[in-house]
Amino acid sequence: LDRCTRGVIGLGDIGSRVAKVASSFGMRVVGCRNTVSAVPEGVEIVWPLEEVGSLLEESDYVVNLLPSTPQTRGLLGGGTLRAAKRGAVLINVGR
């Protein structure tokens, strides 16, 4: 996992913990959240949700932790996923 990039979509309590654990394995961690405020421990860059394509372009592993809301529904549709790195792994645990 060392030298891989983990993208975390949804940096709430759970996402922040996922980011911290990933960084402890030597992964570079980037994230997206509704509001770009304080950057959680272990996260290098945080983008607003509207820029999720930037996260996908850089990530070898992507974890989606977003709840299903009117704002998030369809966020990871086909057009958006085309921005992902070739061979990237998507782990969807959104609710």
Side-chain angles (χ1 to χ4, degrees):
L1 297 176
D2 190 30
R3 289 183 248 131
C4 289
T5 298
R6 159 81 44 99
V8 180
I9 305 172
L11 285 169
D13 292 339
I14 297 169
S16 293
R17 181 70 178 158
V18 167
K20 185 176 179 180
V21 170
S23 70
S24 74
F25 281 102
M27 298 184 86
R28 174 178 176 250
V29 180
V30 297
C32 278
R33 68 183 337 167
N34 285 329
T35 57
V36 179
S37 54
V39 177
E41 182 180 346
V43 179
E44 184 178 309
I45 302 169
V46 177
W47 290 285
L49 287 179
E50 297 79 29
E51 295 182 39
V52 70
S54 296
L55 177 142
L56 294 171
E57 290 171 0
E58 295 196 24
S59 300
D60 300 293
Y61 297 90
V62 177
V63 179
N64 174 40
L65 295 153
L66 294 174
S68 179
T69 67
Q71 182 186 9
T72 62
R73 250 177 245 121
L75 182 69
L76 295 176
T80 304
L81 289 176
R82 279 196 269 290
K85 263 185 171 180
R86 183 171 181 79
V89 175
L90 173 64
I91 303 162
N92 184 20
V93 291
R95 51 213 183 275

